[in-house]
Amino acid sequence: MKLLVTGGAGYVGSVCAAHLLEAGHDVVVLDDLSTGHRDAVPGGARFVEADLAEAAGDLLGEGFDGVLHFAARSLVGESVQKPEIYWQANVVTTLRLLEAIRTHATPRLVFSSTAATYGEPESVPIREDSPTRPTNPYGASKLAIDHMITSYAAAHGLAATSLRYFNVAGAHDRFGERHTVETHLIPIVLQVAAGTRESVQMFGDDWDTPDGTCVRDYIHVDDLADAHLRALDRATPGVHAIYNLGNGHGFSVREVVEACREVTGHPIPAEVAPRRAGDPAVLVASSERARTELGWAPTRTTLADMVGDAWRFTQQRQQS
Ligand code: UFG
């Protein structure tokens, strides 16, 4: 298939682009490099550096079999401080993309949605029919896009899939996580092991969880990419399918820090800090629907798998 990958210079987008190329697809990456990196775009892809809202129409006019839409702003804290950025960059831009898709009758769309669409869960594991009550503008913007996609699929016959990621981790070959502003737990802990940060702050140890620290469902980025390929294959015209992607198993912040110590051999000093605003205590996915309907099953499910690959990536970057 000829596929447009928006945000293919970012973490998940670049890994998925690499998987699509390995599967024999023809890939065009569109990214404005506002948060992505030029050297993260896989070599076999054609790269277009441009504003998505402006360039999508002309590009899709070339004729594409599908779009994988990763480009987005994704910092929860920033979204609370500057919501206008999120409504513009996520919602308004995606509406422009959907209009280009409609105009040029592009048949398929796979969208990077998020567990943040659910907000504070009433119960775990979280299923796709759980209430969607986002607690920040980032999650609200992704939920608004999911609603837009549902209506475009119904009205215009688009074959659409939203994949709601839980906590993505790990790396694929030379493609991994390197945000300019880093807020995510595993890369932060590995920065300590790499000597670029002194210690880790664990945000709260008085949560209602087995060891008092927050629990998250970490999923390897390779497993995530596999779900995107399956979603493309199974897409049905006029249907918007929504799938949660997680392992169905949570790890605490303390367990993550401990796994990083084991993988890196570094003592990694960690201190308890106040809770971070807006953090739910436990987020764990039910991915039963993806397993049943996409035939998907995560294969790299241990912290050793995920942290090990992320650490290899960190070390490669230090050497280059
Ligand atoms: N944490 C720390 N110390 C840090 C960083 C994080 O203790 O320095 C904790 C957080 O409080 C949280 C856990 O580690 O309990 C994971 O935090 P991350 O920031 O790595 O990830 P989140 O669970 O906050 O966010 C992830 C995605 C978001 C998405 C959200 C949906 O990264 O994009 O899940 O629930 F919105």
Side-chain angles (χ1 to χ4, degrees):
M1 284 191 252
K2 182 174 177 186
L3 300 167
L4 180 64
V5 176
T6 76
Y11 170 37
V12 180
S14 63
V15 171
C16 287
H19 277 256
L20 292 167
L21 288 162
E22 285 162 21
H25 295 292
D26 181 4
V27 173
V28 178
V29 166
L30 172 59
D31 199 301
D32 65 3
L33 300 184
S34 57
T35 55
H37 309 275
R38 175 66 186 88
D39 63 353
V41 178
R46 177 178 143 210
F47 177 58
V48 178
E49 182 182 347
D51 179 85
L52 167 57
E54 283 166 20
D58 283 350
L59 263 176
L60 290 182
E62 291 177 11
F64 277 81
D65 299 299
V67 177
L68 292 101
H69 181 34
F70 300 96
R73 299 290 285 246
S74 63
L75 296 176
V76 169
E78 181 186 62
S79 80
V80 176
Q81 303 300 324
K82 298 176 183 166
E84 59 281 5
I85 294 180
Y86 284 72
W87 295 111
Q88 180 66 43
N90 293 358
V91 178
V92 174
T93 299
T94 304
L95 180 57
R96 297 277 295 274
L97 174 65
L98 283 167
E99 276 300 276
I101 286 172
R102 183 173 71 87
T103 304
H104 299 290
T106 311
R108 295 174 194 81
L109 171 67
V110 180
F111 172 59
S112 299
S113 188
T114 169
T117 53
Y118 297 109
E120 180 84 46
E122 272 172 9
S123 61
V124 287
I126 301 172
R127 293 159 37 112
E128 292 82 354
D129 57 5
S130 301
T132 42
R133 289 191 289 249
T135 50
N136 53 66
Y138 164 65
S141 73
K142 290 280 184 168
L143 182 61
I145 296 169
D146 278 344
H147 289 317
M148 293 198 299
I149 294 173
T150 301
S151 63
Y152 268 69
H156 305 305
L158 182 64
T161 309
S162 287
L163 299 175
R164 291 188 171 158
Y165 311 162
F166 281 64
N167 289 60
V168 188
H172 173 78
D173 187 18
R174 62 175 195 84
F175 307 105
E177 192 166 13
R178 49 183 174 122
H179 299 110
T180 309
V181 181
E182 192 52 78
T183 62
H184 294 118
L185 180 63
I186 293 176
I188 283 177
V189 180
L190 293 181
Q191 283 174 356
V192 180
T196 55
R197 183 186 287 260
E198 279 193 2
S199 68
V200 181
Q201 293 192 320
M202 298 189 292
F203 297 143
D205 68 346
D206 55 354
W207 298 92
D208 185 14
T209 60
D211 69 16
T213 63
C214 286
V215 170
R216 293 289 181 273
D217 187 335
Y218 294 88
I219 173 163
H220 196 289
V221 68
D222 279 336
D223 287 325
L224 202 71
D226 176 45
H228 289 72
L229 270 81
R230 289 168 187 273
L232 273 177
D233 283 346
R234 307 287 166 98
T236 308
V239 173
H240 178 205
I242 297 178
Y243 300 106
N244 289 342
L245 295 179
N247 287 311
H249 179 79
F251 295 107
S252 73
V253 172
R254 271 192 210 285
E255 286 175 314
V256 170
V257 174
E258 196 46 50
C260 292
R261 289 179 179 136
E262 278 167 28
V263 165
T264 64
H266 188 285
I268 308 182
E271 68 219 28
V272 176
R275 290 182 176 193
R276 187 172 68 176
D279 266 343
V282 180
L283 287 175
V284 175
S286 163
S287 298
E288 279 315 304
R289 186 184 283 178
R291 288 171 187 265
T292 311
E293 295 183 14
L294 298 178
W296 174 80
T299 58
R300 323 252 1 252
T301 56
T302 67
L303 279 179
D305 287 334
M306 293 184 258
V307 171
D309 286 353
W311 179 232
R312 259 189 300 282
F313 174 74
T314 306
Q315 288 180 305
Q316 270 171 22
R317 295 232 9 106
Q318 280 195 312
Q319 284 156 14
S320 63

